[in-house]
Amino acid sequence: SLSKNYPNPFNPTTTIVYELAEDGMVSLIIYDLKGSIVRTLIEEYQQKNYYNLIWNGLNESGQKVDNGRYILKMLTAEFSDTITMTLLK
């Protein structure tokens, strides 16, 4: 499962909580509203568990992203979900 991030809107960081019901590959990828990848947070094999992850508002190059809405997509072999996150500076 993928929970809503908090705080939302956020500045400068937000916490993402997710749970894996079984061991497996998991991807957490942030996209802008145009569909371009902003940042890959996780793309690895993980154990069944609860996880907390903090996004610091940086893109893949380590630069601060602009104000706006971003989409976080979680993908496993058996599950896919998205949430919308808003960065306000």
Side-chain angles (χ1 to χ4, degrees):
S1 67
L2 176 62
S3 299
K4 295 283 186 185
N5 63 303
Y6 65 90
N8 192 24
F10 69 97
N11 178 22
T13 64
T14 190
T15 300
I16 298 156
V17 178
Y18 63 100
E19 178 187 7
L20 298 179
E22 56 188 48
D23 298 355
M25 288 297 296
V26 61
S27 296
L28 288 167
I29 302 172
I30 298 170
Y31 297 88
D32 62 20
L33 293 180
K34 297 176 188 173
S36 300
I37 293 176
V38 173
R39 176 99 185 253
T40 300
L41 297 175
I42 296 286
E43 194 164 37
E44 64 188 27
Y45 186 90
Q46 291 187 330
Q47 304 271 329
K48 171 175 84 170
N49 207 343
Y50 287 94
Y51 293 89
N52 289 314
L53 180 66
I54 295 175
W55 180 41
N56 56 5
L58 302 180
N59 64 17
E60 295 282 23
S61 301
Q63 299 169 321
K64 292 181 180 180
V65 298
D66 293 331
N67 284 345
R69 298 179 74 190
Y70 295 89
I71 298 167
L72 173 66
K73 182 173 185 177
M74 178 180 176
L75 183 63
T76 70
E78 304 292 326
F79 179 79
S80 177
D81 197 8
T82 60
I83 60 170
T84 303
M85 306 182 294
T86 303
L87 172 62
L88 289 178
K89 296 180 184 175

